[in-house]
Amino acid sequence: GAVVSQHPSRVICKSGTSVKIECRSLDFQATTMFWYRQFPKQSLMLMATSNEGSKATYEQGVEKDKFLINHASLTLSTLTVTSAHPEDSSFYICSARTGGSYNSPLHFGNGTRLTVT
Amino acid sequence: RKEVEQDPGPFNVPEGATVAFNCTYSNSASQSFFWYRQDCRKEPKLLMSVYSSGNEDGRFTAQLNRASQYISLLIRDSKLSDSATYLCVVTAYGGSQGNLIFGKGTKLSVKP
């Protein structure tokens, strides 16, 4: 069964509005969660690493003021896309590890398909 | 050179065929390797980890060649349900939490 839950699975919003995406670890605590983005026919690209109780680490080229990440508890991380624009339309996926080793595989949420009109 | 390279395909094969996918990675310091499958418009799901000695899980066999920085996935007796995009994934060197680097994927289409 799923170990990482993501909500909503699909959202359509108007340009200029903000959208919040939730990522929950089920039955395990995740001090770290990862947020990826995937454009059509492209590979998953890491946007940021969400750390419980501290600031997120953003990848180069990802605007931290536009993509707000909050990891307030050991089971929940949220990504807020602020002032969304059509170019932000993409598939956003969160992930976490159930294993303690950083070499263990990631488990993904079911993803959020964002369409900005 | 891209960090993880895969033949995008598509590979169109009949049911029951054996198909092999290859992947090369650029960073010799990568520590862990995985194959994920991703169905259309869905999240990636772990198919199997890839171990140095090679490993098998039912109809799936994964191989790793560190010297050549090459990973492979072999699928025997293909099923219709194997149709998906197969992602080659390696851990990123230097990532504080072992970030994963994804290939673009190889698309497989199994026909009746």
Side-chain angles (χ1 to χ4, degrees):
Chain A
V3 296
V4 178
S5 173
Q6 190 172 338
H7 177 81
S9 58
R10 185 185 299 269
V11 60
I12 300 173
C13 70
K14 292 186 185 296
S15 188
T17 60
S18 295
V19 173
K20 180 187 282 189
I21 303 169
E22 293 186 348
C23 180
R24 295 181 185 274
S25 58
L26 306 177
D27 299 324
F28 73 99
Q29 295 180 335
T31 54
T32 302
M33 291 184 177
F34 301 93
W35 287 95
Y36 287 81
R37 178 168 56 181
Q38 185 178 34
F39 291 105
K41 300 189 188 302
Q42 298 297 313
S43 55
L44 274 77
M45 296 299 295
L46 181 67
M47 297 176 67
T49 302
S50 172
N51 304 299
E52 187 270 334
S54 65
K55 291 182 180 180
T57 305
Y58 290 81
E59 296 300 298
Q60 191 172 10
V62 178
E63 298 177 58
K64 62 178 182 177
D65 294 329
K66 180 171 181 61
F67 299 99
L68 301 179
I69 291 175
N70 185 285
H71 195 152
S73 79
L74 287 170
T75 59
L76 174 64
S77 174
T78 61
L79 169 68
T80 301
V81 183
T82 62
S83 187
H85 290 285
E87 57 264 33
D88 298 324
S89 298
S90 187
F91 190 47
Y92 293 85
I93 317 176
C94 69
S95 64
R97 287 194 167 81
T98 54
S101 165
Y102 86 92
N103 283 316
S104 56
L106 288 176
H107 295 275
F108 287 85
N110 51 298
T112 297
R113 193 160 300 279
L114 170 64
T115 303
V116 184
T117 59
Chain B
R1 182 181 173 185
K2 294 179 183 172
E3 291 188 83
V4 178
E5 289 202 68
Q6 294 182 250
D7 181 343
F11 284 59
N12 298 308
V13 303
E15 268 188 292
T18 296
V19 61
F21 304 138
N22 302 322
C23 168
T24 56
Y25 60 96
S26 61
N27 196 322
S28 59
S30 295
Q31 294 291 322
S32 299
F33 311 90
F34 310 97
W35 283 101
Y36 280 73
R37 72 170 273 170
Q38 186 173 25
D39 292 286
C40 190
R41 303 173 75 83
K42 298 284 189 181
E43 78 278 16
K45 293 187 177 178
L46 179 67
L47 180 66
M48 58 196 304
S49 301
V50 186
Y51 302 119
S52 297
S53 54
N55 49 298
E56 189 174 302
D57 183 1
R59 298 181 293 109
F60 300 86
T61 301
Q63 298 275 358
L64 168 64
N65 184 321
R66 284 188 186 271
S68 301
Q69 294 178 206
Y70 169 97
I71 306 161
S72 66
L73 176 68
L74 182 77
I75 305 176
R76 290 181 299 279
D77 189 24
S78 300
K79 311 290 185 191
L80 296 176
S81 57
D82 293 334
S83 297
T85 297
Y86 289 82
L87 307 175
C88 176
V89 186
V90 306
T91 50
Y93 176 72
S96 62
Q97 300 290 337
N99 303 335
L100 299 184
I101 305 293
F102 287 78
K104 284 191 177 182
T106 299
K107 187 172 182 180
L108 171 66
S109 181
V110 182
K111 308 292 186 184

